Amino acid sequence: MSEVITIANQKGGVGKTTTAVNLAASLAVAEKKVLLIDVDPQANATTGLGFNRNNYEYNIYHVFIGKKKLSDIILKTELNQLHLAPSNIGLVGIEQELAKGENNEKKVVLKNQLKEVENEYDFIIIDSPPALGSITINAFVASDSVIIPIQCEFYALEGVAMVLNTIKVIKKTINPKLKVRGFLPTMYSSQNNLSKDVVEDLKQNFKKQLFTINGNENDFIVIPRNVKLAESPSFGKPIILYDIKSPGSLAYQNLAYSILG
């Protein structure tokens, strides 16, 4: 059975999609079979793997409305072990539809769809929208854990309490197995004192939930500001295929190894 991990933060521009794409690719290179599900209407994870709307007829929108099964929309990527369930701007309308009513039926749509394919993959990575709306709640309900990227900028921790509270509510009501897998500092610059301050704040508040290299509790994984990492989506490639030796690629490979234990 798959381990399902959602990458989530209600703030945009924190490296959420970058993390989803590159963690999925790094796990695939480590010989794990991975499905990346893009449930963000912006579809950045989809384009980041080299697809555009002319490459596919159906997407995760059609799965949410029940027109297609998840297996019907899955695409193969450049990496043999990595598959993609693409997204589309049409998901904007689904957000409102899922929000209607108080019952739990519309909160478990994605979870129910995952049952069809969960035994075919080692990991299912979900790239959620930059909001704590109905689509993200569907992702939380379907997941075993959540990774929260934290940008190394001013007000970085602002809003984290909101994410944690949403996870807490989901854990208490619908998905008792849900947990925070870890916090991931992103866009880190060793030349920037603010970056260092953010990481120190994370150490003070969430030290046990930071990812480490080779289990060394004093060697934390941070995702650096890196030109190659920023360029790779425009070429439709994960960083591991664009520049495998770049600092960004090495950081995401370390993250994958940390998750694999």
Side-chain angles (χ1 to χ4, degrees):
M1 183 175 290
S2 308
E3 179 176 352
V4 185
I5 304 172
T6 288
I7 316 298
N9 192 318
Q10 83 274 20
K11 293 182 68 178
V14 301
K16 179 182 57 60
T17 296
T18 299
T19 296
V21 168
N22 291 298
L23 172 59
S26 295
L27 288 169
V29 169
E31 296 299 317
K32 298 299 179 182
K33 193 165 184 183
V34 184
L35 173 63
L36 175 60
I37 301 180
D38 188 354
V39 296
D40 186 344
Q42 297 177 80
N44 288 334
T46 300
T47 57
L49 285 177
F51 294 92
N52 62 53
R53 66 184 63 187
N54 296 320
N55 293 134
Y56 52 92
E57 182 176 2
Y58 299 106
N59 57 74
I60 198 70
Y61 166 82
H62 299 96
V63 174
F64 270 108
I65 65 174
K67 186 175 181 178
K68 290 291 178 181
K69 296 185 296 183
L70 189 55
S71 60
D72 293 331
I73 70 162
I74 290 174
L75 304 172
K76 295 180 179 180
T77 74
E78 280 190 76
L79 292 167
N80 290 334
Q81 296 287 86
L82 176 60
H83 291 170
L84 169 72
S87 184
N88 186 273
I89 192 63
L91 272 183
V92 171
I94 283 294
E95 183 76 58
Q96 296 177 342
E97 182 64 30
L98 293 174
K100 294 178 182 178
E102 295 297 323
N103 60 38
N104 289 336
E105 184 177 340
K106 292 181 179 178
K107 297 177 182 177
V108 297
V109 175
L110 186 58
K111 179 180 180 179
N112 289 338
Q113 290 286 351
L114 284 181
K115 292 177 181 177
E116 179 202 2
V117 301
E118 62 186 1
N119 291 323
E120 298 178 24
Y121 297 94
D122 299 302
F123 290 92
I124 295 175
I125 307 296
I126 303 175
D127 183 32
S128 64
L132 295 176
S134 301
I135 292 176
T136 299
I137 288 173
N138 253 269
F140 286 170
V141 171
S143 296
D144 299 299
S145 64
V146 181
I147 292 176
I148 304 173
I150 304 288
Q151 185 181 10
C152 292
E153 299 287 354
F154 198 56
Y155 295 135
L157 299 183
E158 189 178 77
V160 169
M162 192 180 300
V163 181
L164 295 178
N165 185 61
T166 301
I167 292 171
K168 184 177 180 181
V169 170
I170 296 298
K171 184 179 179 68
K172 282 187 175 182
T173 56
I174 311 175
N175 184 6
K177 68 181 180 181
L178 186 65
K179 65 180 182 179
V180 175
R181 186 67 184 262
F183 295 88
L184 182 68
T186 61
M187 304 180 193
Y188 178 85
S189 172
S190 60
Q191 308 300 316
N192 188 327
N193 287 332
L194 184 55
S195 285
K196 297 176 182 178
D197 290 343
V198 170
V199 172
E200 285 303 315
D201 284 346
L202 286 169
K203 287 180 183 178
Q204 289 181 19
N205 292 283
F206 306 108
K207 184 174 183 179
K208 292 183 178 180
Q209 291 174 298
L210 292 175
F211 296 98
T212 59
I213 299 174
N214 297 324
N216 185 342
E217 62 180 21
N218 294 312
D219 195 359
F220 298 100
I221 295 171
V222 297
I223 307 301
R225 282 194 177 277
N226 178 236
V227 172
K228 295 294 185 181
L229 192 58
E231 287 178 350
S232 60
S234 65
F235 289 87
K237 294 180 181 293
I239 187 62
I240 204 164
L241 291 181
Y242 184 65
D243 189 343
I244 193 171
K245 295 183 178 180
S246 68
S249 179
L250 296 175
Y252 278 113
Q253 289 175 66
N254 282 332
L255 178 62
Y257 296 144
S258 178
I259 286 173
L260 291 172

